[in-house]
Amino acid sequence: MKTETTTRVYAIDNLRTALTVLVVTHHVAITYGNIPLWYYLEPAKDPSGVALDMLAVFNQAFFMGFFFLISGFFTPGSYDRKGARAFLRDRLVRLGIPLLVFVVLLRPLITFGGYIRRDDDMPYWQYYLASWDPGPMWFAEVLIVFALAYAGWRCLRAPLDQRPAPLRFRWIALFTLVLAAATFLWRIPVPTGTYVPLLGLPTPSFLPQYAAMFALGCVAFRRRWFETLPDRAGLLGLLVAGVSTVVLVPVAFTTTGALSSALTALWESVFAVSMIILLTVWFRERFNRQGARGKFLSDHAFTVYVIHPLVLVGLGNALRWLPAIAVVKFAVMLVLALPLCWWIAYLVRLLPGAKRVL
């Protein structure tokens, strides 16, 4: 049994590495697509930009929710081992310090190009304050809030008992429908495209998914759903993700108003749950080992998450001269960015004290 548990953790580590690759891929796609939500942009001037936009839309539907689920999965065990005070101190160190380093030190380097391209006389100190934004580190910001909420809940109630319980299809269906309904209702006051300045939340319309997935991860740890999810669930997840996309996406994209919003929320919820089940089973069964290379990638994944905006903005400026269609520039940057991100992450973690935080 001990060996089985170890391989399962390896699979989750490998999943986090894969999701980090998706984060980098997502932001490279936005760089050369038509969604203006990144530090450096070259809007597409050819039809291939639409493919990059669709990649970003499909990615957004599930990948950050999956990150929150994995974070929730490790939360109960961490709290059990450390207790409330040490748990919160560890979360504030491992999430708060990278958040502050990004906002105070890395963000000015990333956004300086935007400042020098301005055509007004705004002093830099004003621009520094006006551009205050956690960027991709909004993830750490939200995780700190979730950690505080979990600690508060544990102070009020005893934890769930630790026992295996098969994850039944009707529970998955009910969870998905409730998530879709909550997302639809949430988007009435917080519609898609809403941006929260200062806090820097780029996708607040997805907060119901993030909170639900974090809570689900906490329960999954207690009920051992990662281990007990049947193999056939992966194939079913693939089938449902494909069918829901074919059936719901064309209608959602060709209608307007409440109907479009409801269908979009339903598709995102179904697609997210299906993809998470598919990838969980796939990695558990096929990528449940980790050699030296895999360990290197997983050990440096969070650091890559923190520093990748600096790498992508630098590469974007370096590749401005390249005359190519959007999808080609996307491919060139991605091939360069992934190894460069992990190499820089390796150098960063050599700094004194860095491994305590990263």
Side-chain angles (χ1 to χ4, degrees):
M1 183 61 68
K2 184 175 180 181
T3 302
E4 181 73 356
T5 302
T6 301
T7 59
R8 299 314 185 196
V9 172
Y10 288 155
I12 295 176
D13 282 344
N14 293 334
L15 264 171
R16 285 193 291 195
T17 299
L19 289 174
T20 304
V21 170
L22 280 182
V23 169
V24 178
T25 303
H26 185 82
H27 290 140
V28 176
I30 291 177
T31 298
Y32 295 113
N34 302 287
I35 302 174
L37 290 174
W38 191 238
Y39 298 105
Y40 177 84
L41 296 168
E42 285 187 34
K45 296 180 175 62
D46 60 87
S48 69
V50 176
L52 300 180
D53 296 340
M54 295 305 298
L55 171 60
V57 168
F58 277 76
N59 222 11
Q60 181 61 54
F62 81 95
F63 78 134
M64 292 309 299
F66 204 172
F67 261 126
F68 280 107
L69 187 145
I70 291 174
S71 298
F73 182 85
F74 286 105
T75 295
S78 177
Y79 188 99
D80 292 346
R81 292 190 305 272
K82 299 171 183 176
R85 183 175 298 180
F87 168 77
L88 290 176
R89 182 172 60 246
D90 179 74
R91 293 297 82 196
L92 289 174
V93 168
R94 290 185 174 272
L95 297 172
I97 291 178
L99 172 61
L100 286 175
V101 169
F102 182 91
V103 171
V104 176
L105 299 179
L106 295 184
R107 175 185 59 89
L109 298 175
I110 295 166
T111 60
F112 188 73
Y115 173 72
I116 62 176
R117 285 193 290 269
R118 292 178 66 92
D119 55 4
D120 56 25
D121 297 325
M122 176 184 286
Y124 180 71
W125 68 268
Q126 288 185 4
Y127 179 81
Y128 179 88
L129 295 177
S131 60
W132 187 274
D133 186 292
M137 291 304 291
W138 67 266
F139 174 64
E141 192 176 62
V142 174
L143 270 184
I144 291 173
V145 175
F146 287 173
L148 291 170
Y150 180 82
W153 180 80
R154 285 289 298 268
C155 289
L156 297 175
R157 298 190 59 177
L160 291 175
D161 56 317
Q162 188 86 23
R163 60 179 176 84
L167 184 56
R168 303 186 184 281
F169 174 78
R170 63 176 178 271
W171 297 350
I172 299 173
L174 180 61
F175 172 84
T176 305
L177 291 175
V178 171
L179 175 59
T183 301
F184 169 71
L185 294 174
W186 174 257
R187 287 178 180 173
I188 295 174
V190 187
T192 300
T194 300
Y195 174 77
V196 180
L198 190 61
L199 293 178
L201 299 181
T203 54
S205 60
F206 279 86
L207 280 176
Q209 184 190 106
Y210 301 155
M213 289 301 177
F214 181 85
L216 183 64
C218 294
V219 178
F221 172 80
R222 297 295 187 193
R223 295 294 179 257
R224 296 185 61 185
W225 286 340
F226 184 81
E227 293 92 336
T228 60
L229 196 64
D231 294 354
R232 65 181 180 276
L235 182 59
L236 182 61
L238 176 62
L239 179 64
V240 173
V243 171
S244 66
T245 298
V246 171
V247 172
L248 295 176
V249 170
V251 183
F253 283 15
T254 55
T255 55
T256 59
L259 177 59
S260 177
S261 180
L263 291 174
T264 300
L266 178 60
W267 171 72
E268 288 170 350
S269 300
V270 173
F271 187 79
V273 171
S274 301
M275 288 298 297
I276 287 171
I277 290 174
L278 166 64
L279 292 173
T280 296
V281 172
W282 190 36
F283 272 74
R284 187 189 68 192
E285 299 305 318
R286 295 180 178 272
F287 302 101
N288 59 358
R289 295 182 177 85
Q290 194 176 84
R293 185 179 304 165
K295 185 176 187 306
F296 174 86
L297 294 175
S298 64
D299 285 349
H300 295 80
F302 182 58
T303 310
V304 168
Y305 186 95
V306 176
I307 58 94
H308 82 275
L310 186 61
V311 175
L312 298 191
V313 170
L315 283 175
N317 282 285
L319 294 173
R320 292 183 71 176
W321 60 269
L322 182 63
I325 62 173
V327 71
V328 170
K329 296 197 78 167
F330 160 82
V332 171
M333 181 188 280
L334 189 61
V335 168
L336 295 173
L338 288 174
L340 186 58
C341 281
W342 258 271
W343 179 68
I344 293 176
Y346 168 74
L347 297 179
V348 169
R349 293 184 81 240
L350 292 178
L351 297 173
K355 290 182 181 179
R356 168 71 180 88
V357 177
L358 300 170

